[in-house]
Amino acid sequence: MSQVSPLSRKWLPLLPAVSWWAFFFLASLLAIIVYSFGVKTPLTALNPVSFDDPSLSNYREAFSSVYIRVFWITLKTAGIGTIACLMMAFPVAYVLATRVSKHWRSWLLFVIIFPYWVSFLLRTFAWRIILAPEGAFSEALQGLGIISAPLGILDTQMAVQMGIIYNYLPVAILPIFVALERIDPALRQASADVGANRVTTFFRITLPLATPGLIGAGVLTFILAAGDYVVPAILGGARGLMIGRLIALQILEAQNLPLGAAMAVVLIAALLATGAIAGLALIVLNWLNRKFQGASI
Amino acid sequence: MQRDIIGILLKAWMILIIGFLFIPILVVVLYSFNDGRVLFIWEGFSTFWYGAVFDNHRILSALDVSVRSALINVAISVVLGTVAGVAIARHQGVWSKPFLFLIGLVLVTPELVSAIGQVIWFNQIGMSNGVTRLAVGHSLFNTALVAIVVKARAEGISDTLEEAAGDLGAPPYRSFLQITLPLMLPAVIAGALLSFTYSFDNVIISLFVQRPGASSLPVYILSSFKAGLRGDVAAVVVMALGITVILIAVAAILLRRGSKKVNVL
Amino acid sequence: MTKAVSVRGITKRYGKFVALDDVSLDIEQGEFLSLLGPSGAGKTTILRMIAGFDRPDTGEIRIMDRNIVDLPSHKRPVNTVFQDYALFPHMSVADNVAYGLRQDRVRGEDRRIRVREALDMVEMTSMAHRRPDELSGGQQQRVALARALVKRPSILLLDEPLGALDRRLRQQMQIELKTLQRETGIAFVLVTHDQDEALAMSDRIVVTRHGRIEQAGTPSDLYDYPRTAFVADFMGSQNFLFGKLDKANKALTTRDGVTLYADRIEDVAGPEALAAVRPENTIITMDEPSPALNRVRGRVIQAMHMGNTMEYVVDLPSGAEVFSRQSRKHATDIPIGSEIWLAWDRADTAIFPLDDEINETTKRSHKTMREPA
């Protein structure tokens, strides 16, 4: 009878969660990779996918010009959406972190996060009502003479872009706020104390220290946006395509699991590649920054 | 002077952004009271569509599926996430980093990708019950979410409290039940609420793993949108919003009163 | 008589770091014992092992003559007052105190009376229904004491319990703790890094260093007869002068060429040693003192007002510095720059072996300072 010392069993409470994830999450990720080499069988076959003859044909198809174009549109939409979110979010996070009293801060934070608790569908639907060509907003704009024809944004890539920015803005605000709030106000005062003006303080103290938060917010927003399905499905119509819709189409309608799986692998690869490029850009930026600062000494 | 102008501009921007975030939500609430046949053309105020919701069997059945799967998902994710979250906050070890990495992986994997993986894997292992598929699918993300929320709270509670309980004669299980758990309760409730709303609102995972005849509410709404948007859909979305708001408010009141009650004892 | 605690040869390693190295220690019943040492000296580790939060790698711990190394903390007849008090924030003061009794299945009226008594003892009865976060630091401290004492342990462990309090309150609590200990007759084991606290309260002090016991004894023993330079330095301030030892004559020749005599020589191995004298035992004179005294010439380079005393820094020709504390009642203040004599009695002089961490007091005394080769 060997008694295990209690110290060595401290990982035990993690076991249920880890087993759960291993069996359902990790296994399903593995299943994607395996299926991406499979072949779709005719509908009459017993198994929907055959592995008798593993091939790269799914990947060949995923890299065909149609899909490449949609991949590119997806990355572009997510990229523009991310940059727009960061630019809109930063001033808000900055005000919250530096110019608002503690009491107001928690309330405002709640107000800003609240929309994210509200159903994603509801928030996306709303834009169909607002942007409807026959809707009140469109008529008001026409009445004011700002536009001459009914609004034609709906069911285009532009509507998708708007929906993406709108939906992920709260996600972008939070990490930036957290990073800014951690900066000791004394640092800004010290900077002013040694004679830096407000602009210098912002660019030399606040912004560099908030960079990790900005990167976090950017990565989060980008991943969420690039993998979105709901916004293009609701606001994009036939012309607003993102890869999420194509993958869903393959799996849910064409029942082509192997092709869908291969596209998912490519999506992950594209996200990782974007992340790597962003990381590289950051390193270069840091290097340039250091060089620039070195020159001023 | 300059400071004032910058400050005013910044605050104005914040108010503008808050307006931007809320106006669409308010628009849907408003239009759910639209009397018209076509949702986005305002015809006049009426609660007609709210009544219509309860005549729509498909909405009611989807609501039933959604609530059942969300509750099962909450049970799974709260138990697994709480136990793991407390453990990871309390004890460091060689396993800590891999575990945190795993949590991170679960949280950042695009929903679309895990949805594809799940539909493939669930079919492969022959999991055929629609509600179970939804509950398990949602629980994977939510277990990580609860673990993170609970871990943050547990780190804020000094671990000498558990030592103190032991010192005063409480065996480990009793010190967990009497000291750790009550102090963790706000985090556990918050985790449960987050888990419920995530599941209740989830579209992508549900869309992929659902079985015919067991659509969740969001999936039904999405499909009915394709058939043409009607007022009852807006009404049901607004009702779901109402449920979310009430849940948050109830939790907030419970938590506040809970702490006062201890005070009186 | 049965020892309250008997620690035999305990060793604890964390990876390569040796927290405790073969420590043995007895604690008598009803004794107030302090474990004193700098941080990382192992004193808290000893306490946590008696309490049952840590387990020694080797060795034995007996409480009232019963080996308890394998007993989990909730089964030991020991209670602890924690450094951060560790009061349960979700319970009232009364519930905190009752918690330990509840674990022992003490019920009803019996429990109520004992909680009441414990709160009376620390004068916190009027706060029984408050929550910990509504109390001041000193009040939380009392509740923590009551919560531990209500269990009537045979040993009470206190882990730096006064560290978070301000100076005035700390002094008041020192008196109260001491009184409480005498009234209850329970053995108190106090961990502290504050020598004044240890001196003020303890029957016996154990000085720890690098996981070993450096010296144990009564407060007077340690203050008057420290056996190493480390203990001498730790127990109040101390001047050290480096020099060549003449063992036969109990004399040491400093780098200034002055010979100092000592009544006491501790176990010195090498040809070199440190002579020590406390600042309060030195006197400053303008006239040459009697040759019967140890005496050096120097120049006052700094003067600090300490209330009823003045503290002077005296620069010796070799660069060594000596601190001297003079009562303001008996001496007039001496201006900076004065050339003066410093003198002290042989009986107040001790000679210690060299120590890696103790240096001659100089301008560069925080750097390792040895006789230039």
Side-chain angles (χ1 to χ4, degrees), chain B residues 238-263:
Chain B
V238 170
M239 281 155 74
L241 169 67
I243 292 172
T244 309
V245 172
I246 289 168
L247 278 181
I248 298 174
V250 166
I253 291 166
L254 269 181
L255 289 180
R256 192 165 289 178
R257 186 182 293 168
S259 58
K260 269 189 192 144
K261 203 167 182 185
V262 172
N263 187 0

PDB file of all heavy atoms in Angstrom, chain B residues 238-263:
ATOM      1  N   VAL B 238     -35.618  40.637 -28.075  1.00  0.00           N
ATOM      2  CA  VAL B 238     -35.718  41.633 -27.003  1.00  0.00           C
ATOM      3  C   VAL B 238     -36.062  40.951 -25.684  1.00  0.00           C
ATOM      4  O   VAL B 238     -35.546  41.325 -24.622  1.00  0.00           O
ATOM      5  CB  VAL B 238     -36.769  42.706 -27.364  1.00  0.00           C
ATOM      6  CG1 VAL B 238     -37.047  43.607 -26.160  1.00  0.00           C
ATOM      7  CG2 VAL B 238     -36.278  43.527 -28.536  1.00  0.00           C
ATOM      8  N   MET B 239     -36.910  39.905 -25.754  1.00  0.00           N
ATOM      9  CA  MET B 239     -37.218  39.175 -24.525  1.00  0.00           C
ATOM     10  C   MET B 239     -35.969  38.492 -23.974  1.00  0.00           C
ATOM     11  O   MET B 239     -35.739  38.480 -22.750  1.00  0.00           O
ATOM     12  CB  MET B 239     -38.334  38.155 -24.775  1.00  0.00           C
ATOM     13  CG  MET B 239     -39.714  38.815 -24.789  1.00  0.00           C
ATOM     14  SD  MET B 239     -40.926  37.891 -25.746  1.00  0.00           S
ATOM     15  CE  MET B 239     -41.257  36.525 -24.699  1.00  0.00           C
ATOM     16  N   ALA B 240     -35.174  37.928 -24.860  1.00  0.00           N
ATOM     17  CA  ALA B 240     -33.914  37.306 -24.424  1.00  0.00           C
ATOM     18  C   ALA B 240     -33.022  38.351 -23.774  1.00  0.00           C
ATOM     19  O   ALA B 240     -32.395  38.102 -22.735  1.00  0.00           O
ATOM     20  CB  ALA B 240     -33.202  36.661 -25.605  1.00  0.00           C
ATOM     21  N   LEU B 241     -32.992  39.548 -24.373  1.00  0.00           N
ATOM     22  CA  LEU B 241     -32.225  40.647 -23.795  1.00  0.00           C
ATOM     23  C   LEU B 241     -32.731  40.960 -22.389  1.00  0.00           C
ATOM     24  O   LEU B 241     -31.948  41.135 -21.454  1.00  0.00           O
ATOM     25  CB  LEU B 241     -32.335  41.883 -24.696  1.00  0.00           C
ATOM     26  CG  LEU B 241     -31.804  43.195 -24.117  1.00  0.00           C
ATOM     27  CD1 LEU B 241     -30.308  43.129 -23.943  1.00  0.00           C
ATOM     28  CD2 LEU B 241     -32.182  44.363 -25.013  1.00  0.00           C
ATOM     29  N   GLY B 242     -34.078  40.980 -22.266  1.00  0.00           N
ATOM     30  CA  GLY B 242     -34.677  41.238 -20.962  1.00  0.00           C
ATOM     31  C   GLY B 242     -34.236  40.208 -19.932  1.00  0.00           C
ATOM     32  O   GLY B 242     -33.861  40.552 -18.804  1.00  0.00           O
ATOM     33  N   ILE B 243     -34.240  38.928 -20.343  1.00  0.00           N
ATOM     34  CA  ILE B 243     -33.818  37.862 -19.426  1.00  0.00           C
ATOM     35  C   ILE B 243     -32.374  38.098 -18.980  1.00  0.00           C
ATOM     36  O   ILE B 243     -32.048  38.020 -17.801  1.00  0.00           O
ATOM     37  CB  ILE B 243     -33.948  36.478 -20.105  1.00  0.00           C
ATOM     38  CG1 ILE B 243     -35.435  36.163 -20.320  1.00  0.00           C
ATOM     39  CG2 ILE B 243     -33.294  35.388 -19.251  1.00  0.00           C
ATOM     40  CD1 ILE B 243     -35.684  34.925 -21.157  1.00  0.00           C
ATOM     41  N   THR B 244     -31.501  38.434 -19.943  1.00  0.00           N
ATOM     42  CA  THR B 244     -30.098  38.692 -19.618  1.00  0.00           C
ATOM     43  C   THR B 244     -29.986  39.810 -18.596  1.00  0.00           C
ATOM     44  O   THR B 244     -29.281  39.685 -17.588  1.00  0.00           O
ATOM     45  CB  THR B 244     -29.320  39.081 -20.895  1.00  0.00           C
ATOM     46  OG1 THR B 244     -29.572  38.109 -21.890  1.00  0.00           O
ATOM     47  CG2 THR B 244     -27.846  39.178 -20.617  1.00  0.00           C
ATOM     48  N   VAL B 245     -30.696  40.917 -18.851  1.00  0.00           N
ATOM     49  CA  VAL B 245     -30.612  42.071 -17.950  1.00  0.00           C
ATOM     50  C   VAL B 245     -31.109  41.702 -16.561  1.00  0.00           C
ATOM     51  O   VAL B 245     -30.487  42.035 -15.552  1.00  0.00           O
ATOM     52  CB  VAL B 245     -31.426  43.262 -18.527  1.00  0.00           C
ATOM     53  CG1 VAL B 245     -31.502  44.391 -17.501  1.00  0.00           C
ATOM     54  CG2 VAL B 245     -30.807  43.747 -19.816  1.00  0.00           C
ATOM     55  N   ILE B 246     -32.241  40.966 -16.518  1.00  0.00           N
ATOM     56  CA  ILE B 246     -32.786  40.574 -15.210  1.00  0.00           C
ATOM     57  C   ILE B 246     -31.796  39.678 -14.460  1.00  0.00           C
ATOM     58  O   ILE B 246     -31.547  39.860 -13.267  1.00  0.00           O
ATOM     59  CB  ILE B 246     -34.145  39.851 -15.383  1.00  0.00           C
ATOM     60  CG1 ILE B 246     -35.194  40.879 -15.824  1.00  0.00           C
ATOM     61  CG2 ILE B 246     -34.579  39.180 -14.079  1.00  0.00           C
ATOM     62  CD1 ILE B 246     -36.500  40.267 -16.298  1.00  0.00           C
ATOM     63  N   LEU B 247     -31.192  38.723 -15.179  1.00  0.00           N
ATOM     64  CA  LEU B 247     -30.224  37.827 -14.541  1.00  0.00           C
ATOM     65  C   LEU B 247     -29.074  38.612 -13.924  1.00  0.00           C
ATOM     66  O   LEU B 247     -28.674  38.363 -12.782  1.00  0.00           O
ATOM     67  CB  LEU B 247     -29.653  36.836 -15.569  1.00  0.00           C
ATOM     68  CG  LEU B 247     -30.493  35.601 -15.865  1.00  0.00           C
ATOM     69  CD1 LEU B 247     -29.778  34.722 -16.872  1.00  0.00           C
ATOM     70  CD2 LEU B 247     -30.761  34.834 -14.584  1.00  0.00           C
ATOM     71  N   ILE B 248     -28.545  39.570 -14.687  1.00  0.00           N
ATOM     72  CA  ILE B 248     -27.424  40.358 -14.175  1.00  0.00           C
ATOM     73  C   ILE B 248     -27.859  41.136 -12.939  1.00  0.00           C
ATOM     74  O   ILE B 248     -27.166  41.164 -11.923  1.00  0.00           O
ATOM     75  CB  ILE B 248     -26.892  41.321 -15.255  1.00  0.00           C
ATOM     76  CG1 ILE B 248     -26.360  40.529 -16.441  1.00  0.00           C
ATOM     77  CG2 ILE B 248     -25.796  42.216 -14.695  1.00  0.00           C
ATOM     78  CD1 ILE B 248     -25.950  41.393 -17.607  1.00  0.00           C
ATOM     79  N   ALA B 249     -29.049  41.747 -13.027  1.00  0.00           N
ATOM     80  CA  ALA B 249     -29.532  42.554 -11.898  1.00  0.00           C
ATOM     81  C   ALA B 249     -29.737  41.681 -10.666  1.00  0.00           C
ATOM     82  O   ALA B 249     -29.314  42.042  -9.562  1.00  0.00           O
ATOM     83  CB  ALA B 249     -30.836  43.249 -12.289  1.00  0.00           C
ATOM     84  N   VAL B 250     -30.376  40.521 -10.860  1.00  0.00           N
ATOM     85  CA  VAL B 250     -30.627  39.618  -9.730  1.00  0.00           C
ATOM     86  C   VAL B 250     -29.315  39.212  -9.072  1.00  0.00           C
ATOM     87  O   VAL B 250     -29.171  39.243  -7.844  1.00  0.00           O
ATOM     88  CB  VAL B 250     -31.402  38.364 -10.198  1.00  0.00           C
ATOM     89  CG1 VAL B 250     -31.355  37.275  -9.130  1.00  0.00           C
ATOM     90  CG2 VAL B 250     -32.851  38.721 -10.505  1.00  0.00           C
ATOM     91  N   ALA B 251     -28.339  38.858  -9.908  1.00  0.00           N
ATOM     92  CA  ALA B 251     -27.043  38.438  -9.369  1.00  0.00           C
ATOM     93  C   ALA B 251     -26.416  39.569  -8.567  1.00  0.00           C
ATOM     94  O   ALA B 251     -25.909  39.357  -7.464  1.00  0.00           O
ATOM     95  CB  ALA B 251     -26.119  38.015 -10.499  1.00  0.00           C
ATOM     96  N   ALA B 252     -26.483  40.784  -9.116  1.00  0.00           N
ATOM     97  CA  ALA B 252     -25.882  41.929  -8.433  1.00  0.00           C
ATOM     98  C   ALA B 252     -26.543  42.146  -7.079  1.00  0.00           C
ATOM     99  O   ALA B 252     -25.876  42.338  -6.064  1.00  0.00           O
ATOM    100  CB  ALA B 252     -26.009  43.177  -9.295  1.00  0.00           C
ATOM    101  N   ILE B 253     -27.891  42.079  -7.050  1.00  0.00           N
ATOM    102  CA  ILE B 253     -28.611  42.295  -5.794  1.00  0.00           C
ATOM    103  C   ILE B 253     -28.283  41.179  -4.800  1.00  0.00           C
ATOM    104  O   ILE B 253     -27.976  41.440  -3.633  1.00  0.00           O
ATOM    105  CB  ILE B 253     -30.135  42.341  -6.046  1.00  0.00           C
ATOM    106  CG1 ILE B 253     -30.470  43.608  -6.830  1.00  0.00           C
ATOM    107  CG2 ILE B 253     -30.909  42.307  -4.738  1.00  0.00           C
ATOM    108  CD1 ILE B 253     -31.848  43.626  -7.421  1.00  0.00           C
ATOM    109  N   LEU B 254     -28.310  39.940  -5.291  1.00  0.00           N
ATOM    110  CA  LEU B 254     -27.996  38.793  -4.424  1.00  0.00           C
ATOM    111  C   LEU B 254     -26.626  38.942  -3.795  1.00  0.00           C
ATOM    112  O   LEU B 254     -26.453  38.738  -2.593  1.00  0.00           O
ATOM    113  CB  LEU B 254     -28.020  37.502  -5.241  1.00  0.00           C
ATOM    114  CG  LEU B 254     -29.341  36.752  -5.319  1.00  0.00           C
ATOM    115  CD1 LEU B 254     -29.167  35.496  -6.129  1.00  0.00           C
ATOM    116  CD2 LEU B 254     -29.838  36.438  -3.917  1.00  0.00           C
ATOM    117  N   LEU B 255     -25.653  39.301  -4.626  1.00  0.00           N
ATOM    118  CA  LEU B 255     -24.282  39.420  -4.131  1.00  0.00           C
ATOM    119  C   LEU B 255     -24.208  40.499  -3.070  1.00  0.00           C
ATOM    120  O   LEU B 255     -23.597  40.321  -2.023  1.00  0.00           O
ATOM    121  CB  LEU B 255     -23.326  39.739  -5.279  1.00  0.00           C
ATOM    122  CG  LEU B 255     -23.077  38.594  -6.249  1.00  0.00           C
ATOM    123  CD1 LEU B 255     -22.118  39.013  -7.327  1.00  0.00           C
ATOM    124  CD2 LEU B 255     -22.535  37.390  -5.488  1.00  0.00           C
ATOM    125  N   ARG B 256     -24.852  41.634  -3.323  1.00  0.00           N
ATOM    126  CA  ARG B 256     -24.772  42.742  -2.380  1.00  0.00           C
ATOM    127  C   ARG B 256     -25.452  42.366  -1.069  1.00  0.00           C
ATOM    128  O   ARG B 256     -24.926  42.566   0.000  1.00  0.00           O
ATOM    129  CB  ARG B 256     -25.418  43.989  -2.986  1.00  0.00           C
ATOM    130  CG  ARG B 256     -25.122  45.227  -2.194  1.00  0.00           C
ATOM    131  CD  ARG B 256     -25.447  46.458  -2.976  1.00  0.00           C
ATOM    132  NE  ARG B 256     -24.503  46.663  -4.072  1.00  0.00           N
ATOM    133  CZ  ARG B 256     -24.610  47.663  -4.938  1.00  0.00           C
ATOM    134  NH1 ARG B 256     -25.609  48.497  -4.868  1.00  0.00           N
ATOM    135  NH2 ARG B 256     -23.729  47.806  -5.893  1.00  0.00           N
ATOM    136  N   ARG B 257     -26.675  41.781  -1.194  1.00  0.00           N
ATOM    137  CA  ARG B 257     -27.396  41.420   0.020  1.00  0.00           C
ATOM    138  C   ARG B 257     -26.646  40.321   0.769  1.00  0.00           C
ATOM    139  O   ARG B 257     -26.587  40.330   1.985  1.00  0.00           O
ATOM    140  CB  ARG B 257     -28.806  40.956  -0.314  1.00  0.00           C
ATOM    141  CG  ARG B 257     -29.604  40.723   0.957  1.00  0.00           C
ATOM    142  CD  ARG B 257     -30.986  40.227   0.674  1.00  0.00           C
ATOM    143  NE  ARG B 257     -31.806  41.221   0.023  1.00  0.00           N
ATOM    144  CZ  ARG B 257     -32.985  40.935  -0.537  1.00  0.00           C
ATOM    145  NH1 ARG B 257     -33.417  39.699  -0.552  1.00  0.00           N
ATOM    146  NH2 ARG B 257     -33.706  41.870  -1.099  1.00  0.00           N
ATOM    147  N   GLY B 258     -26.062  39.396   0.002  1.00  0.00           N
ATOM    148  CA  GLY B 258     -25.292  38.314   0.623  1.00  0.00           C
ATOM    149  C   GLY B 258     -24.220  38.846   1.539  1.00  0.00           C
ATOM    150  O   GLY B 258     -24.074  38.399   2.670  1.00  0.00           O
ATOM    151  N   SER B 259     -23.518  39.865   1.082  1.00  0.00           N
ATOM    152  CA  SER B 259     -22.421  40.378   1.900  1.00  0.00           C
ATOM    153  C   SER B 259     -22.975  41.120   3.117  1.00  0.00           C
ATOM    154  O   SER B 259     -22.376  41.124   4.175  1.00  0.00           O
ATOM    155  CB  SER B 259     -21.519  41.287   1.069  1.00  0.00           C
ATOM    156  OG  SER B 259     -22.249  42.349   0.530  1.00  0.00           O
ATOM    157  N   LYS B 260     -24.156  41.757   2.974  1.00  0.00           N
ATOM    158  CA  LYS B 260     -24.735  42.471   4.112  1.00  0.00           C
ATOM    159  C   LYS B 260     -25.219  41.492   5.174  1.00  0.00           C
ATOM    160  O   LYS B 260     -25.109  41.735   6.353  1.00  0.00           O
ATOM    161  CB  LYS B 260     -25.909  43.335   3.649  1.00  0.00           C
ATOM    162  CG  LYS B 260     -25.453  44.736   3.281  1.00  0.00           C
ATOM    163  CD  LYS B 260     -26.630  45.645   3.027  1.00  0.00           C
ATOM    164  CE  LYS B 260     -26.185  46.932   2.375  1.00  0.00           C
ATOM    165  NZ  LYS B 260     -27.132  47.417   1.413  1.00  0.00           N
ATOM    166  N   LYS B 261     -25.776  40.377   4.697  1.00  0.00           N
ATOM    167  CA  LYS B 261     -26.339  39.401   5.610  1.00  0.00           C
ATOM    168  C   LYS B 261     -25.245  38.863   6.541  1.00  0.00           C
ATOM    169  O   LYS B 261     -25.450  38.742   7.738  1.00  0.00           O
ATOM    170  CB  LYS B 261     -26.961  38.257   4.815  1.00  0.00           C
ATOM    171  CG  LYS B 261     -28.011  37.499   5.593  1.00  0.00           C
ATOM    172  CD  LYS B 261     -28.796  36.623   4.654  1.00  0.00           C
ATOM    173  CE  LYS B 261     -29.886  35.869   5.367  1.00  0.00           C
ATOM    174  NZ  LYS B 261     -30.570  34.941   4.469  1.00  0.00           N
ATOM    175  N   VAL B 262     -24.093  38.570   5.954  1.00  0.00           N
ATOM    176  CA  VAL B 262     -22.974  38.100   6.762  1.00  0.00           C
ATOM    177  C   VAL B 262     -22.653  39.139   7.824  1.00  0.00           C
ATOM    178  O   VAL B 262     -22.398  38.833   8.979  1.00  0.00           O
ATOM    179  CB  VAL B 262     -21.743  37.849   5.859  1.00  0.00           C
ATOM    180  CG1 VAL B 262     -20.538  37.545   6.726  1.00  0.00           C
ATOM    181  CG2 VAL B 262     -22.020  36.704   4.909  1.00  0.00           C
ATOM    182  N   ASN B 263     -22.747  40.380   7.412  1.00  0.00           N
ATOM    183  CA  ASN B 263     -22.462  41.502   8.280  1.00  0.00           C
ATOM    184  C   ASN B 263     -23.334  41.497   9.530  1.00  0.00           C
ATOM    185  O   ASN B 263     -22.881  41.751  10.634  1.00  0.00           O
ATOM    186  CB  ASN B 263     -22.717  42.777   7.459  1.00  0.00           C
ATOM    187  CG  ASN B 263     -22.286  44.010   8.199  1.00  0.00           C
ATOM    188  OD1 ASN B 263     -21.803  43.909   9.317  1.00  0.00           O
ATOM    189  ND2 ASN B 263     -22.466  45.152   7.588  1.00  0.00           N
TER     190      ASN B 263
END
